[in-house]
Amino acid sequence: MLELKKMETVLMRIGVLIGIGYGVLLAAPAPLIFDTLAAPLQKSTASIEKLSQKPVMEPNKNLLYGFLNGVESTLSTGRKLTAAKEVDKELLRAYLKDLRELSKTKESIDMLYRKSLNTAMSQSDKKGFEDLVSVPLEPIHHPRIRSEVIAFYQKNYPNHSIKSVEALCDEQELEEKSIQFAIEQEQAYEEHLRILKRSEVSGVKKTAQIGSRNSVILSAESNGAGGYEFEAENLNPYTVTLNIDFESLVNLKPSANVPLFIEIPGRSKKRVLELSRIASAESINYRSSYGWVRGSAFAIHQDSYLYKLPFLKGSEVYVSQGYNGESTHKGLSAYAVDFPVPVGTPIYAAREGIVVGSEGRNNIGGANPGYRQYANYVIIEHSDGTMGNYYHLKQGGNVAVIGQKVAKGELIGYSGNTGYSSGPHLHFSVSKVDPVSMRRPMNLPIKMETADKIVSLPHRGDRYTVQ
């Protein structure tokens, strides 16, 4: 049993090292399906075989055929390991070595494909271009390469005659729409809310739910001197940034500069503003509204804090999208990290704090922004006012509940693939309210502790051992 556990650990580490999603299989119950570890490599063989027949790749046929033969041989070895009653350690060691070598060869083929595309476009080699885009390998979906391919295509093919590039155009358009949709969703700003009379507050509170528009209430009441006193009540467990603005003020002077932006702690009331009558003999009037966003724009992040990688100590993790990522980590969302992990992977708090958001009811997800509202998550408010965000948990995977105090390294949930997600992964970020717009969350750069070093700039392809 001990030897089996050791082998599972070795397999898991190797699977992460070659970075192609073997973890799901390694987390499966025994017996281990060894031949499936090569399945991600096998998926590319049909395309690479077609590519090997194109004249533009004639000088590199040996590399392509070597990869194809290697995959078939490795699959055969995997089938032998799967069928065996006991694992042959020497055969397993050779199998894992072959997987590593094949992964490196695949990276070389991808690099060659990118260079060949660049050469064809720079030399206006339309035949070579057509050969390459007719068999689209993974690099063609890289945003920069894709944009260059589309620009070359639109310039040289006015009749839009290549279906594979037309599909790339649709892909780019959808991604641009997705990013814009994400930006709009991230605003999460409830605005132009009506200021209540104090007598209306109790009725509204009865229907308010955490995160709903009316979960932050602003009410006004006469101050007894011809003016008004404003009180804010935050029914949410988390801090919010409140904005009060006046379209008009007649014979009234505010006690603070307006528009007013002010932090309201979770589950608290606060007198936020007073309007004083200027001339007692003249009439008064005002028109106003307010808005709010979760989090504090006034939080000062403790930059020296070392965050824990949110996974089990000793496990190995891989980054599929890091800071300023190619897909959705842009703008105010730039400082986030995606870790591809199997559904059900335990997730641990990267920093201590109080749970202020917890959702686990959803069971759907997909690579379409329309799924964004179906993400499961846990959100933790830290002592410096920032928020730790753990997204795409599985259904029922939110172990931590709202109001719970959690320690650094404490289990808070299990990973999944819910919401706007192209595959099982954990999306992790630390955020505060953007102090410029005062309306949108803004991710913050952080330092993460690993077994080998402190990471301050995670990139796609990075691999870490959890401290």
Side-chain angles (χ1 to χ4, degrees), residues 186-201:
E186 284 171 355
Q187 289 182 354
Y189 185 73
E190 301 293 350
E191 59 184 344
H192 303 308
L193 302 175
R194 183 175 70 87
I195 296 176
L196 303 178
K197 296 177 182 178
R198 199 62 54 83
S199 59
E200 298 175 303
V201 171

Side-chain angles (χ1 to χ4, degrees), residues 58-106:
E58 180 69 33
N60 304 289
K61 273 190 173 182
N62 289 340
L63 176 66
L64 303 183
Y65 284 141
F67 174 78
L68 294 171
N69 293 333
V71 170
E72 183 55 39
S73 174
T74 304
L75 280 169
S76 177
T77 303
R79 285 191 285 268
K80 289 179 182 178
L81 286 165
T82 298
K85 292 182 179 180
E86 294 185 7
V87 176
D88 183 327
K89 293 180 182 179
E90 290 300 319
L91 188 62
L92 174 60
R93 190 175 293 113
Y95 177 61
L96 296 176
K97 181 182 178 181
D98 288 344
L99 284 176
R100 288 195 296 270
E101 292 303 319
L102 281 172
S103 180
K104 291 177 182 177
T105 304
K106 176 60 167 53

Side-chain angles (χ1 to χ4, degrees), residues 195-271:
I195 296 176
L196 303 178
K197 296 177 182 178
R198 199 62 54 83
S199 59
E200 298 175 303
V201 171
S202 59
V204 171
K205 287 172 65 174
K206 290 178 181 178
T207 60
Q209 296 180 343
I210 291 175
S212 65
R213 284 171 59 85
N214 58 358
S215 61
V216 178
I217 298 170
L218 185 65
S219 58
E221 188 174 56
S222 172
N223 63 3
Y228 295 93
E229 177 188 271
F230 293 80
E231 182 179 80
E233 183 170 5
N234 178 12
L235 304 178
N236 297 297
Y238 45 78
T239 300
V240 302
T241 300
L242 180 74
N243 168 26
I244 308 172
D245 201 4
F246 292 87
E247 297 173 30
S248 66
L249 283 171
V250 178
N251 195 31
L252 289 168
K253 180 182 179 181
S255 59
N257 293 331
V258 291
L260 173 67
F261 296 93
I262 188 168
E263 174 186 294
I264 311 295
R267 294 186 173 132
S268 70
K269 287 183 184 179
K270 193 172 189 177
R271 291 185 181 181

Side-chain angles (χ1 to χ4, degrees), residues 56-57 59-60 111-130 132 144-145 148-149 152 156:
V56 71
M57 299 303 288
N60 304 289
M111 182 63 69
L112 175 64
Y113 183 81
R114 292 177 68 159
K115 288 181 177 179
S116 300
L117 261 177
N118 287 334
T119 300
M121 291 186 290
S122 64
Q123 296 179 356
S124 296
D125 177 5
K126 294 180 71 174
K127 181 65 174 65
F129 176 80
E130 291 167 14
L132 291 162
R144 182 177 63 80
I145 299 296
E148 292 173 357
V149 167
F152 181 86
N156 294 282

